[in-house]
Amino acid sequence: MRKVRVRFAPSPTGALHIGGVRTALYNYLFARHNGGDFILRIEDTDSQRFVPGAEEYIIEALQWCGIKVDEGVGVGGPHAPYRQSERRDIYLKYALQLVESGNAYYAFDSAEDLSKLRADMESRGETFSYDSKSRGTLCNSLTLPAEEVKRRIDAGEQWVIRFKMPENENVEMDDIIRGHITINTSTLDDKVLYKSADALPTYHLANIVDDHLMEISHVIRGEEWLPSLPLHFLLYRAFGWSDSQPLFAHLPLLLKPQGQGKLSKRDGDKFGFPVFPLEWHAPDGEVSMGYRESGYLPGAFVNMLALLGWNPGTEQEIFSMEELCQQFSLDKVSKSGARFSPDKAKWFNAQYMRTASDSFLASLLVPQLASAGIETSLERAADAVAIIKERATFPKDLLDLTLYMFRAPQSYDEKSVAKFWKEENVAYIRDLRGIFAELEVLEKESAEHLVREWIEAGQLPMGKIMNCLRIAIMGIGQGPDIFSICEFIGKQETLRRIDAALDSIQVA
Ligand code: GLU
C-alpha cells in the first residue's frame, strides 16, 4: 500500500468549529493508525475571507487537543511552504497547463456583467450559471478570436481561468464512507480556478495541485465538500494524475442537539454550550466560548469528538488518544449525521475528572482555594480532591465540593436542620462526640467501625445520626463519606465543629 499521508487543510476564516477539529482528529488518528504522516496546510488563497489570528488559533487548538503535526505550517517539512499564500508562484503554471490541454479557458466577463446577467435571468424566473450551456454566449477564449484574447491579456485586462466542465458525462467516483457516487456533469458549472486580479488560485485548483505535490494518499474532510468531488476527480483527470489521486472520505455532519440541521455557532449561543475548542476573540470584538475555558479537559473533549461519527463496534466509551489511534478505522465512520449532545459532553468531562490524578486536580484546586482566602499545600489539596472527585463535572466544582474541608461551616442548611436537628438526634450527637473524644487519632476505618458497633448495639437510627453529623461537620445534610471528612479535618477540628453546632444550632 502507498504510504499514508493525510492533511488537515483549514482556511483561516475564523475560529475552528468543533466539526473542523473532528476532521483534524480523524485525519490524525488515521495517520497514526497506519504509520503515516499528518500534515497541516493552511488554505489562505481567499484573501477576502482571511481573518487575522485564525491561523494561530487553529495551531493552538490542535496543540490543546494533543493532535501533533508531523509536517506543515509551524513545523516545516520536505514540501514547504505549507501556507498556500506562500506557494502562489506554483499555481499559474498548472492553470495554464489546463488551458493548453483544452480543459480550461480564459474568461473576461466583468463581475458587473455577470451580476447584471444574473439579475436579468432571475427577473424572468431563471437562474444563471456559467456552464456548458452559457459559456458559448459569454466573453471568453472559447468565443473570442485568439488574437483578441492575447491582446486583452497583454493589455493587462483582468481575466480568470475557468474549468471547462465536460458536457453530459457521468463522473463515477468512490468514497470510502459513502460508497459509489455518480454525478452527471450537466448539473455542474465552470468553476473559476485562477484569478489574475490577485494572481492567486481558487480553493479548487490550489487544493488539487497541493494534494498532488504533497503526495497526499487520503483526503478526509467534511461532507460539505462532497459537491466539489466531481470537479476534483475531473481536475485529476485533466492533469493526467488520476492514477495517483488520493482516496476520498467525506465525514458525516455534526448535527444540532435536537437532531435536525448542522450544529452552528448560534445553537451554542442559544443553549449555552461552546462550539469552539478555545475561546475566540473575533476581530469585531465578539467573544465566543471555548471548551478549554469552560473547564473541559482535553482528553474528554477529544474522546467525545472521536465518538461523534465513529463507533468502535464495542460498548467501550472511554478512550485515551493512544487507544483511539490503535482502534480508529474509516470503515466504522457512519454515513449519517452525528447528533451533538451537550449533556454527553459534560458526562465525558465528569468521567475524566474522576480518573484524573489527585495531584493534577490539586493543582487546579489550590489557586481556587487561594482566591477564597485559603492557603494550603498541594498534598493537602490532593487528599481533599481524592474524597470528592467523583462528584465533580468541571474543575470549578472542586472549590464548592471541598470548601468545608478547609473551613468550618459558616452557616447550616436550614432545610437539613429542620428535618434532622431534633432533640433525640442531638442527644446521639453528644454521645458520638464522646466516642470521638476517646480516640487517640480520628482515623476513618476504625472510627467508622466503632460508630457502627455503637449504633448496632443500641439499635440507633443510623441515617438520622449521620445526617446530623454531616450538618455539624459540613453544614449540609448530604455529601461524600463523612468519616473520610472527619479523618481529613482531624480529631480536634471534628470535636470543635460538633461543639460549635451543639452550641449554635437551635433544636428544631
Ligand atoms: N480549505 C478547505 C476547508 O476550509 C479544505 C477542504 C478540503 O479538505 O479539501 O475546509
Side-chain angles (χ1 to χ4, degrees):
M1 191 169 109
R2 169 177 191 194
K3 163 122 177 144
V4 166
R5 285 178 55 80
V6 292
R7 81 314 190 261
F8 178 50
S11 299
T13 53
L16 189 59
H17 181 274
I18 55 173
V21 184
R22 188 196 56 176
T23 300
L25 177 66
Y26 283 14
N27 273 284
Y28 175 73
L29 297 177
F30 184 76
R32 282 290 163 279
H33 184 85
N34 293 291
D37 300 326
F38 173 71
I39 294 146
L40 174 64
R41 184 171 76 221
I42 297 289
E43 301 206 325
D44 57 348
T45 56
D46 188 347
S47 45
Q48 295 192 345
R49 297 185 61 219
F50 177 83
V51 172
E55 181 186 304
E56 293 75 5
Y57 179 96
I58 291 165
I59 291 173
E60 198 180 336
L62 296 183
Q63 274 167 357
W64 182 67
C65 292
I67 298 175
K68 294 184 197 73
V69 176
D70 298 312
E71 209 180 292
V73 172
V75 179
H79 299 280
Y82 292 89
R83 203 177 277 116
Q84 287 184 329
S85 59
E86 291 168 15
R87 300 169 63 78
R88 54 167 67 226
D89 296 343
I90 296 176
Y91 306 108
L92 180 60
K93 158 179 138 202
Y94 289 100
L96 294 177
Q97 185 182 324
L98 292 181
V99 175
E100 260 151 53
S101 62
N103 287 294
Y105 58 90
Y106 288 100
F108 300 96
D109 319 82
S110 68
E112 300 78 58
D113 289 348
L114 292 178
S115 54
K116 187 169 175 301
L117 209 58
R118 199 164 281 127
D120 286 353
M121 287 187 75
E122 268 164 23
S123 69
R124 296 200 299 275
E126 297 167 44
T127 41
F128 171 72
S129 171
Y130 209 121
D131 57 16
S132 57
K133 286 172 225 73
S134 64
R135 66 169 82 110
T137 63
L138 294 159
C139 186
N140 54 50
S141 58
L142 304 173
T143 56
L144 298 171
E147 316 77 68
E148 173 62 6
V149 170
K150 185 169 179 321
R151 189 197 63 75
R152 286 182 181 230
I153 294 172
D154 291 347
E157 246 182 62
Q158 285 190 3
W159 46 264
V160 297
I161 290 176
R162 284 182 183 269
F163 185 67
K164 190 174 169 211
M165 187 55 75
E167 262 183 88
N168 191 22
E169 179 191 327
N170 281 338
V171 188
E172 305 290 340
M173 300 161 285
D174 284 305
D175 183 274
I176 297 173
I177 295 167
R178 270 137 222 285
H180 192 75
I181 304 167
T182 308
I183 295 286
N184 190 283
T185 52
S186 316
T187 59
L188 305 172
D189 60 350
D190 290 357
K191 284 273 182 282
V192 172
L193 301 177
Y194 194 92
K195 294 179 286 181
S196 72
D198 50 12
L200 276 173
T202 60
Y203 154 72
H204 300 290
L205 181 72
N207 186 272
I208 266 50
V209 167
D210 283 348
D211 280 351
H212 172 73
L213 296 177
M214 295 180 183
E215 300 172 81
I216 298 302
S217 64
H218 295 75
V219 168
I220 304 169
R221 61 185 175 191
E223 188 181 272
E224 63 274 26
W225 299 102
L226 201 53
S228 302
L229 190 59
L231 171 62
H232 293 181
F233 260 68
L234 292 169
L235 279 169
Y236 280 109
R237 185 175 80 184
F239 281 121
W241 298 337
S242 295
D243 288 348
S244 62
Q245 83 179 41
L247 299 176
F248 288 87
H250 286 86
L251 304 174
L253 287 179
L254 283 191
L255 303 176
K256 296 178 189 302
Q258 310 85 310
Q260 239 133 58
K262 194 171 154 179
L263 179 69
S264 71
K265 178 168 142 15
R266 245 171 293 130
D267 299 314
D269 294 342
K270 197 154 126 207
F271 300 107
F273 61 82
V275 295
F276 299 123
L278 318 178
E279 193 169 270
W280 167 245
H281 294 252
D284 67 2
E286 196 198 351
V287 180
S288 306
M289 285 192 274
Y291 277 83
R292 180 177 65 184
E293 291 72 12
S294 304
Y296 284 83
L297 303 180
F301 175 67
V302 164
N303 195 152
M304 170 210 59
L305 269 189
L307 290 173
L308 280 176
W310 170 74
N311 86 77
T314 63
E315 296 292 298
Q316 185 178 349
E317 285 194 283
I318 302 298
F319 291 88
S320 65
M321 187 65 109
E322 217 175 283
E323 287 173 301
L324 290 172
C325 294
Q326 274 160 13
Q327 296 192 32
F328 184 80
S329 72
L330 286 173
D331 58 336
K332 292 214 168 62
V333 173
S334 81
K335 272 203 221 5
S336 46
R339 188 192 296 197
F340 173 79
S341 159
D343 290 339
K344 193 75 191 194
K346 286 188 193 146
W347 179 85
F348 273 108
N349 213 50
Q351 301 305 309
Y352 275 73
M353 287 292 288
R354 66 172 56 175
T355 51
S357 72
D358 296 344
S359 58
F360 168 68
L361 295 178
S363 72
L364 304 177
L365 174 60
V366 166
Q368 294 181 25
L369 285 168
S371 64
I374 297 166
E375 297 301 327
T376 192
S377 67
L378 274 171
E379 291 72 25
R380 196 85 182 117
D383 289 344
V385 294
I387 299 172
I388 53 80
K389 64 184 183 182
E390 305 214 335
R391 294 165 179 263
T393 301
F394 295 109
K396 69 171 165 42
D397 302 339
L398 295 173
L399 181 61
D400 269 359
L401 288 166
T402 57
L403 196 54
Y404 60 82
M405 295 193 218
F406 296 93
R407 184 160 81 192
Q410 296 176 334
S411 63
Y412 300 96
D413 176 53
E414 279 176 28
K415 272 201 192 129
S416 308
V417 167
K419 199 158 167 207
F420 299 111
W421 203 262
K422 306 246 165 71
E423 187 52 53
E424 69 270 24
N425 300 336
V426 171
Y428 295 133
I429 292 297
R430 283 197 192 92
D431 295 344
L432 188 56
R433 187 202 186 282
I435 295 175
F436 284 160
E438 304 230 322
L439 295 169
E440 208 170 302
V441 280
L442 203 168
E443 187 266 330
K444 170 181 148 46
E445 246 119 87
S446 50
E448 186 171 357
H449 183 71
L450 216 60
V451 170
R452 278 186 190 279
E453 268 185 356
W454 165 65
I455 285 178
E456 273 162 33
Q459 298 206 322
L460 309 179
M462 168 90 165
K464 288 178 183 161
I465 298 174
M466 289 301 116
N467 280 318
C468 286
L469 181 60
R470 273 179 205 289
I471 293 172
I473 303 295
M474 300 160 55
I476 45 175
Q478 73 274 333
D481 179 52
I482 186 68
F483 292 102
S484 305
I485 293 161
C486 292
E487 177 182 289
F488 179 86
I489 61 177
K491 175 179 158 183
Q492 293 313 327
E493 178 65 8
T494 300
L495 297 181
R496 250 195 309 276
R497 290 192 191 184
I498 293 176
D499 291 342
L502 290 170
D503 273 359
S504 62
I505 312 179
Q506 295 285 349
V507 173

